[in-house]
Amino acid sequence: MAIEDKSFGVVPVLKTKTGKYEFLMVYHKLGHWAFPKGYQDDGESVEETIRRELYEETGVRDIKIDFGKEFVEKHSFKSDEKTFNKTNVYFLGFTDNADTKTQEDFKHEIKEMRWALYKDAFGLLTYPEAKVILRDVNDYLLSRRKQ
């Protein structure tokens, strides 16, 4: 029997002066690029989880989260001979703050972070599922621009 595992995260977006979008990604100690995410603490709302994880991993506090659309990533993995069905639910987060700094307590977990335009971000992301999230987010942002 598989164990269900769920986390919540944000795809931080910064609109440049030229109107292009940059995306913030973090490089984890385990050697992969991804978006900020984490597990919900007891009694914590989804928004509180997202804001806490974003701050811990990137130092970003000033962000407007768009709860109008979810971006869902699913995959399975094995650990200690157990199968986990992992679901990561992401929301868009808009910020004007390009300054980032992982909090001291989390520097052992997050080795680097980077703002990148779509093409560069797509190339950096490690897992195919994360690339699908980025593609879907980018398509969504471009479709909103046309409205």
Side-chain angles (χ1 to χ4, degrees), residues 62-99:
D62 182 26
I63 195 157
K64 181 181 179 213
I65 300 169
D66 178 355
F67 288 101
K69 176 130 175 84
E70 292 182 358
F71 298 89
V72 180
E73 170 186 81
K74 293 184 178 215
H75 64 278
S76 297
F77 64 94
K78 287 189 182 257
S79 179
D80 297 328
E81 299 191 24
K82 295 176 187 168
T83 300
F84 292 84
N85 292 331
K86 177 79 174 189
T87 301
N88 300 317
V89 179
Y90 295 96
F91 297 92
L92 284 174
F94 297 93
T95 185
D96 294 325
N97 180 4
D99 297 330

Side-chain angles (χ1 to χ4, degrees), residues 17-132:
K17 290 179 176 145
T18 61
K20 294 184 178 184
Y21 296 109
E22 289 189 351
F23 305 93
L24 181 61
M25 298 162 302
V26 293
Y27 186 68
H28 293 263
K29 72 173 183 177
L30 298 175
H32 65 278
W33 284 96
F35 298 110
K37 71 177 183 314
Y39 294 105
Q40 198 169 17
D41 289 343
D42 289 339
E44 196 174 51
S45 71
V46 170
E47 181 173 359
E48 289 168 334
T49 301
I50 291 168
R51 288 185 181 282
R52 176 181 50 77
E53 288 291 338
L54 178 66
Y55 176 69
E56 290 171 355
E57 294 184 9
T58 69
V60 173
R61 281 194 191 273
D62 182 26
I63 195 157
K64 181 181 179 213
I65 300 169
D66 178 355
F67 288 101
K69 176 130 175 84
E70 292 182 358
F71 298 89
V72 180
E73 170 186 81
K74 293 184 178 215
H75 64 278
S76 297
F77 64 94
K78 287 189 182 257
S79 179
D80 297 328
E81 299 191 24
K82 295 176 187 168
T83 300
F84 292 84
N85 292 331
K86 177 79 174 189
T87 301
N88 300 317
V89 179
Y90 295 96
F91 297 92
L92 284 174
F94 297 93
T95 185
D96 294 325
N97 180 4
D99 297 330
T100 54
K101 185 178 181 192
T102 299
Q103 299 308 294
E104 257 335 288
D105 293 349
F106 290 87
K107 286 188 175 177
H108 67 282
E109 183 180 327
I110 304 299
K111 297 297 181 192
E112 185 181 344
M113 67 189 76
R114 188 177 304 170
W115 284 102
L117 295 170
Y118 175 76
K119 183 179 175 184
D120 295 329
F122 194 87
L124 278 175
L125 288 168
T126 305
Y127 297 116
E129 297 87 358
K131 291 177 187 266
V132 169

